[in-house]
Amino acid sequence: MGILAAGLALLAGVAGFGATAAPAGAVTLSGASTPSAITGMWAWGNPIDPAVDPRGDGEPAFEPKALAAFAAAHKLRTVYLSVPWAADEGPFSAWLRSAVTSLHGAGVTTVAALGGDPAWAQQPDLAATWTKAALKAAPFDAIQFDVEPWVGATDDQLPGIVAQLATMYDTAAAAARTVPVGADLPWWLAAKPTDTGSTLFAQLLPHLRSVAIVAFSDHAPGDDGIIALARPAATAAASTRIPFSIGVETDDPEVAGGPAATFGDDTAAVLEAQTALVRSAFGGTRGYTGVTVEHLLSWQALIAR
């Protein structure tokens, strides 16, 4: 996800960002039986042969049985499963229906159709069209948008962008009818005040049924850690009774925006230990649903190391 990029300038003003990180092994779990704090994941990709459909990625990890086995092994409750444009056409619908059914059978309670194109913010009807096709393709429990039009935007452009997003969410929600609409939002939107005394993050909450707060850092404590970054947004979500998760990154540093933003150059044990601290910090907060990992393939690679 490119969602980190718009927050890098703001992070530069946070004391110590990127200078130090919690050393590997500094925090350990109490034992192998300790439940993981991770309850969800973003799953970007599909198993469709690109020779059959140009939208295909050919990734075997996304075969329904493989997806379900991974979700069951990690006791996941939420999976954001990426859905292409016109998902009800071609070979995608059969795969998506099977994947949703298999994930439900593995104990996942919310399988959300995941998608997003920055252009949708200015053309909300496109978001509605994608939503209708996704719900026609498979029985998703929710819609999850990852639309990031703020990449490269200036601060004075952000209020207009947020207004466009609000309209997009509402338009998609009308298309989704009773299926709830959620979104991935960066922590730094809660640090952007508005003329009304609110924040840009808070302005979007009334248009959503849930939110994944993206707080990409490779450690939980400290001024530049996951807990401090996510807290204002979590507080805003809790005050409006919007369920929220905390998103963390496991992709390669080159993709994620640097080693301080991702667990991709750490270990699975460090990821588990640091997310356990996140759970300790937010577990008692109204609406907290757990930690969500970005993303399936990079998380699997981290575990395999």
Side-chain angles (χ1 to χ4, degrees):
M1 290 163 55
I3 204 167
L4 174 73
L8 290 179
L10 187 57
L11 276 172
V14 178
F17 177 76
T20 59
V27 181
T28 59
L29 298 175
S30 59
S33 62
T34 302
S36 175
I38 299 168
T39 59
M41 69 177 176
W42 284 277
W44 295 99
N46 63 71
I48 306 300
D49 186 344
V52 174
D53 190 306
R55 297 171 295 173
D57 294 325
E59 293 284 358
F62 289 86
E63 292 289 355
K65 288 184 179 179
L67 271 176
F70 187 83
H74 294 274
K75 297 180 172 58
L76 300 182
R77 298 197 299 269
T78 301
V79 172
Y80 302 139
L81 184 60
S82 63
V83 174
W85 184 260
D88 56 333
E89 299 177 5
F92 276 86
S93 187
W95 163 62
L96 288 169
R97 285 196 304 270
S98 181
V100 171
T101 299
S102 296
L103 287 167
H104 283 158
V108 176
T109 56
T110 300
V111 184
L114 172 65
D117 184 314
W120 293 359
Q122 294 183 349
Q123 297 174 283
D125 286 347
L126 295 180
T129 299
W130 171 84
T131 297
K132 290 177 182 178
L135 294 177
K136 184 179 178 182
F140 286 103
D141 305 296
I143 297 293
Q144 186 75 8
F145 283 109
D146 184 80
V147 178
E148 306 171 33
W150 38 67
V151 174
T154 58
D155 275 2
D156 63 327
Q157 294 173 319
L158 288 176
I161 289 172
V162 165
Q164 290 175 342
L165 278 179
T167 298
M168 189 203 77
Y169 296 147
D170 290 345
T171 304
R177 300 189 177 183
T178 59
V179 178
V181 169
D184 307 335
L185 294 178
W187 64 270
W188 52 263
L189 279 180
K192 299 291 185 181
T194 67
D195 294 338
T196 61
S198 181
T199 68
L200 294 179
F201 182 89
Q203 284 191 341
L204 289 173
L205 291 177
H207 305 275
L208 298 168
R209 295 281 294 277
S210 66
V211 61
I213 300 169
V214 178
F216 288 171
S217 175
D218 67 348
H219 53 284
D223 292 341
D224 59 348
I226 300 164
I227 296 168
L229 297 183
R231 190 175 296 282
T235 300
S239 68
T240 52
R241 299 178 182 270
I242 300 295
F244 69 93
S245 67
I246 307 297
V248 299
E249 177 69 276
T250 61
D251 219 328
D252 292 336
E254 310 87 71
V255 175
T262 179
F263 290 97
D265 57 347
D266 295 309
T267 65
V270 171
L271 171 66
E272 291 290 346
Q274 295 301 306
T275 54
L277 294 178
V278 174
R279 176 178 56 194
S280 295
F282 294 109
T285 304
R286 174 190 291 157
Y288 171 74
T289 62
V291 173
T292 304
V293 168
E294 167 77 18
H295 54 90
L296 170 62
L297 294 179
S298 58
W299 186 15
Q300 288 180 328
L302 185 68
I303 293 169
R305 284 214 299 265

